[in-house]
Amino acid sequence: MEFEPMAPVTDPCLPAGEEWTFQLKWDGVRMLAQLDEAGTIKLWSRKLLLKNSVYPEVEQLLKDKFDALGPCLLDGEVIYWDGERPSFQKVLQRERSGSGSHSACPVEPDDDTRPDHANSGRNNSPTAALTPEAETTPVPPGIRYVLFDLLLDGGTDLRDLPFEQRYSRLLGKVAPVSDNRLFVAACYADGQALWNWVEEQHWEGVVSKRRTSIYRSGKKHRDWLKKKTAVILDVDIVGIKQRDGRAASLVMRLDGLFAGSVSLGLNGAMLQALDGAIAQMADSGQQWPMPFDNLPAELKGERVIWLPAPMPCRVTGLEITSNGLLRHPKLVSFGSSGAAL
DNA sequence: CCAATATAAAGCAGGGATCT
DNA sequence: AGATCCCTGCTTTATATTGG
C-alpha cells in the first residue's frame, strides 16, 4: 500500500490527559507540500493529486521561502480566511474552478508589505496555553496555508518520531519565516477550553493528537482524533427523491424554504419502507403538490415524490451554507423530540 | 468453522466547467 | 438552458481477512 496522509478519526469524546495536545480544526482542504533539492514545489492533495495549478500563490509562497525552508515535506491545510474563520465554501470555489484565475476567489497580490504582526501573537511553543484569538486575529482574508506537521526534513524521514518532536522541528523551521499567509497551527494544552471556544465561535471542531504518536498512513490508529461541532436542526421532510426508481434521499424544508436533501442516516430497511409507501401512494392514485413556491434548482431533473403532509425530522450537519442548504446533512430521528428511529 | 474485525467498494451531496 | 461529467468528502454496505 502506498502513502496516504495521516487522517484524524471521528470521535464524539474529547480525550483528556497529559499525553494529548489539541489544535483547531482548520476547515479547508488537506495539502502536502514537497520541496525538493532544486527548489521545485509540489502540492499534493489528500488523494495525492497535484494541486499546484489550483493554488499558484501557495506554490509561489513556498518558492519564495525555499532558501529558509530547504528540501522538506510539509503537511497542513489550505484554507480561505474570511476575516473571522475559515470558509470551506470559498476553498471549494477555488477547487472547482481548477485554477486561481477566476473572480469568485481570485489570487491576490502578495501582501508582504503589510505589517507582519502575525508572529508576535502566534503561538511558538508546543505546549503554550494561549487563546485561539492570538493565532486567528492576525490573519487577513484570503487563501492561507496552515501547517501542522513535518514528515521529511532535508534527507531525513521524521515519520517515526513522536508528533511533538516533529511539531517542534516544524516550528523551528517555519516560525522564523511564517507570515500572514503561511504559519503553523498552534497546539493547546487544554482541550476542553479549546472546544468551548470552538463552539462559541462556530468553528468546525478540534483535533486531538497524542504527543508520542508516530505518523501513520490513513485512519488505522487512535492517535489523531477529531471532534466536530454539529448544527442540530428540526426540519420538515416534504418529499422523497428517487434514483433509478428507488427511494434514495429525503427533501428537507426549513422555514418554508428548500434546505437540501438528506441520505446519510437512512439504511437499506428504511429506504425499502419508503419504497413501500411510495407504491401505496401510487396504488391509491393520489399525487400531492410540490410544497415550494418554485421548484428548487437542485431538484431540476430529479424524480421526487411529494408527501401529503410534512414529516418533522431532526437532522444534523456541519453548517447552513449561504444559499440555505445544510452541509453534510445526516438524519438523526423522526419527529422533533429526538425519538429514536 | 464461524464470528469479529479490517479493508474495499459503492452511493450520495454539492458546485463548477464543459459540451450539446 | 439542460444534461453530464468531474472531484472530494462523507457514510453505509459489501467483501476479505484475521483470530478464537
Side-chain angles (χ1 to χ4, degrees):
Chain A
M1 186 58 195
E2 56 185 28
F3 175 82
E4 187 182 334
M6 185 164 176
V9 183
T10 303
D11 191 319
C13 296
L14 200 65
E18 285 295 310
E19 61 182 313
W20 295 93
T21 187
F22 306 89
Q23 294 177 314
L24 289 171
K25 189 167 192 314
W26 294 82
D27 196 8
V29 294
R30 186 67 173 275
M31 201 65 67
L32 279 75
Q34 179 183 13
L35 289 65
D36 73 12
E37 293 80 1
T40 305
I41 314 295
K42 282 178 178 165
L43 301 176
W44 303 103
S45 75
R46 174 186 176 76
K47 295 206 172 158
L48 303 186
L49 301 171
L50 202 54
K51 293 287 181 176
N52 288 51
S53 63
V54 183
Y55 303 102
E57 71 272 67
V58 175
E59 178 185 10
Q60 189 59 48
L61 184 58
L62 293 168
K63 265 184 187 154
D64 293 343
K65 297 180 187 293
F66 178 72
D67 284 345
L69 297 174
C72 60
L73 181 56
L74 302 164
D75 194 355
E77 191 92 354
V78 168
I79 63 147
Y80 181 91
W81 184 257
D82 72 357
E84 292 183 38
R85 61 182 66 78
S87 168
F88 183 70
Q89 296 293 108
K90 284 275 194 180
V91 180
L92 269 197
Q93 282 178 24
R94 176 66 73 87
E95 279 280 322
R96 303 280 147 74
S97 63
S99 79
S101 59
H102 294 78
S103 58
C105 185
V107 177
E108 324 146 41
D110 279 358
D111 50 6
D112 266 343
T113 53
R114 186 196 303 269
D116 180 20
H117 49 282
N119 288 315
S120 58
R122 200 157 277 138
N123 188 355
N124 268 9
S125 149
T127 55
L130 298 178
T131 59
E133 279 87 354
E135 70 170 326
T136 58
T137 51
V139 183
I143 291 283
R144 306 291 171 239
Y145 189 25
V146 187
L147 300 170
F148 49 71
D149 215 324
L150 179 62
L151 309 194
L152 302 172
D153 189 13
T156 39
D157 189 337
L158 307 182
R159 286 178 293 174
D160 285 337
L161 293 179
F163 169 74
E164 58 184 353
Q165 286 187 34
R166 301 195 308 272
Y167 181 79
S168 51
R169 193 151 169 175
L170 174 69
L171 275 178
K173 189 182 202 45
V174 174
V177 294
S178 81
D179 64 22
N180 290 321
R181 301 159 296 164
L182 173 78
F183 54 90
V184 177
C187 280
Y188 300 89
D190 188 339
Q192 188 59 50
L194 184 61
W195 174 256
N196 293 341
W197 187 90
V198 158
E199 284 215 299
E200 287 167 16
Q201 302 295 321
H202 301 108
W203 275 56
E204 195 203 1
V206 168
V207 178
S208 313
K209 296 182 177 176
R210 205 187 296 271
R211 293 173 181 279
T212 57
S213 62
I214 64 170
Y215 193 97
R216 302 167 75 181
S217 263
K219 295 187 167 184
K220 293 167 281 187
H221 58 78
R222 294 280 300 169
D223 294 330
W224 288 11
L225 305 178
K226 61 179 171 185
K227 177 174 177 168
K228 293 197 283 189
T229 54
V231 180
I232 300 173
L233 289 176
D234 291 318
V235 300
D236 287 331
I237 300 301
V238 295
I240 302 168
K241 191 193 286 186
Q242 288 184 316
R243 283 283 170 86
D244 300 323
R246 285 177 307 188
S249 60
L250 302 175
V251 177
M252 298 181 289
R253 189 179 63 179
L254 184 64
D255 300 325
L257 299 174
F258 176 68
S261 303
V262 56
S263 64
L264 292 176
L266 290 169
N267 57 32
M270 295 161 72
L271 291 173
Q272 207 171 332
L274 290 169
D275 283 329
I278 291 172
Q280 234 173 346
M281 286 168 63
D283 287 343
S284 69
Q286 278 189 299
Q287 287 192 20
W288 306 92
M290 177 187 67
F292 297 109
D293 294 338
N294 303 99
L295 181 66
E298 290 83 354
L299 297 178
K300 286 258 171 67
E302 299 283 358
R303 182 94 185 88
V304 180
I305 311 295
W306 303 110
L307 300 182
M311 175 171 59
C313 268
R314 178 157 293 178
V315 296
T316 64
L318 286 188
E319 63 176 354
I320 300 211
T321 60
S322 54
N323 51 349
L325 303 182
L326 185 61
R327 175 148 79 98
H328 288 171
K330 182 175 180 177
L331 186 65
V332 177
S333 63
F334 291 115
S336 53
S337 58
L341 289 172

